[in-house]
Amino acid sequence: MSKKIATIIGATGKQGRAAINVFLQKPEYLVRGITRNADSSAARALKARGVEVVQADLNDEATLRVAFEGSHVIFGTTDFVPGFVQYGSERGRDIEAEQGRNVARAAQATPTLEHLIWSTLPSTSKISNGKYACPNFEGKEAANDFIRTLPDLLAKTTFVLVGWYDLNFNYPCYKPVWVEAANRYVVIGDYDPDATLVYIGDVEKNLGPFVKAIAEQPEKTKNGAIVFAYTDTIGFEELLKRWAKAKGKEAAYVSTSYEIMGVLYPEWTKLADMTRWMGDYKDTYWSYKEGEFLSYKDLGIAISDFVSMDESLKYLEIA
């Protein structure tokens, strides 16, 4: 009996590696990894593990159609940061939205496709009635909206909302800075220090159990179901202090104004919108209610399957 093909977008990134690790453990699948550079050291490492590495560009739908040929499962994700760094937040948002639509059109054109596992985020603008419009959320939501216009593809799709990465501490607007005179790390922000982070932590390790459960329970997870990939909820300042404690240090959150944030982090402060928004909805799951999404509990995932928050923070490296 011939094997099925699981195709993973962003194969050398953290989410992609999480999905690859899952499907490499499933003998019924051949694993295909899509990357922009099939000759990179990370791509060569995947080849050594038995992954078929294919070069394709999310900005070029034609290359995706070729890369998806014969696929039964596609794990899809887009990355806002490259476009943001090169072109700014608005253009970066639009680039990511079009990349998502390219993936959707190419997936729709793949006759063998059974399941699209789509890593995404919701619209902060819709949820907040226009108060916030966090660009790294809005581009993804534009792709979600497009998938929902394609009934055949929607029937095969799982939307996976991926929670707060530990690596977000590397963004300038969240980055702890060591202040020698204070003998502690400091984060300066204008957002609610108690803003609830729906937290996944080490995404490379903690997304895998979700991907595995989604793939194994298609009757529950397809048809546009929303899976919320998180392991904990925690306030921003509490997480900061917990990270510092894991490093044997102390940390403090220093509150400032929106205007000063704009001076300190001119473009990056737009990414801080996500924490301002989370502060407004700190008693909810990003405004979602229980029963509106599938959690790890709903999917039967044991909490012991995840890397704990303390372990994740202990090994987190902030550049």
Side-chain angles (χ1 to χ4, degrees), residues 191-220:
Y191 36 83
D192 185 345
D194 295 325
T196 298
L197 311 181
V198 186
Y199 172 92
I200 192 167
D202 187 334
V203 71
E204 185 171 348
K205 294 179 180 176
N206 285 346
L207 183 59
F210 286 99
V211 174
K212 182 175 185 290
I214 289 166
E216 292 176 354
Q217 302 176 68
E219 72 290 343
K220 181 184 286 190

Side-chain angles (χ1 to χ4, degrees), residues 112-133:
T112 53
L113 182 66
E114 298 173 357
H115 201 167
L116 172 63
I117 303 173
W118 182 242
S119 172
T120 190
L121 293 168
S123 169
T124 58
S125 179
K126 291 178 183 176
I127 291 169
S128 68
N129 294 316
K131 182 177 180 180
Y132 303 106

Side-chain angles (χ1 to χ4, degrees), residues 128-293:
S128 68
N129 294 316
K131 182 177 180 180
Y132 303 106
C134 193
N136 57 321
F137 282 64
E138 299 307 314
K140 289 182 172 66
E141 174 70 355
N144 300 343
D145 285 343
F146 183 69
I147 290 171
R148 293 185 179 109
T149 69
L150 304 172
D152 290 344
L153 183 61
L154 181 62
K156 302 172 184 178
T157 298
T158 304
F159 295 104
V160 187
L161 308 185
V162 180
W164 179 279
Y165 287 24
D166 281 343
L167 287 171
N168 287 350
F169 275 131
N170 279 291
Y171 291 152
C173 53
Y174 303 121
K175 188 172 183 176
V177 176
W178 180 255
V179 178
E180 191 67 38
N183 193 36
R184 68 193 63 217
Y185 285 96
V186 171
V187 171
I188 300 172
D190 70 318
Y191 36 83
D192 185 345
D194 295 325
T196 298
L197 311 181
V198 186
Y199 172 92
I200 192 167
D202 187 334
V203 71
E204 185 171 348
K205 294 179 180 176
N206 285 346
L207 183 59
F210 286 99
V211 174
K212 182 175 185 290
I214 289 166
E216 292 176 354
Q217 302 176 68
E219 72 290 343
K220 181 184 286 190
T221 60
K222 292 201 295 187
N223 293 306
I226 296 172
V227 171
F228 212 144
Y230 74 95
T231 60
D232 298 275
T233 59
I234 187 169
F236 178 83
E237 186 175 27
E238 184 183 351
L239 182 65
L240 169 66
K241 291 181 176 181
R242 199 155 167 173
W243 166 79
K245 184 178 179 181
K247 300 294 185 181
K249 303 290 185 180
E250 293 187 9
Y253 174 81
V254 177
S255 183
T256 189
S257 67
Y258 183 85
E259 289 72 24
I260 290 176
M261 283 285 283
V263 172
L264 293 174
Y265 317 113
E267 190 70 19
W268 287 93
T269 189
K270 294 181 181 177
L271 268 73
D273 263 355
M274 63 182 176
T275 316
R276 299 179 187 114
W277 168 67
M278 291 172 193
D280 281 3
Y281 295 91
K282 63 185 177 184
D283 297 324
T284 72
Y285 298 87
W286 295 354
S287 88
Y288 288 86
K289 299 178 178 64
E290 295 278 6
E292 294 179 339
F293 60 85

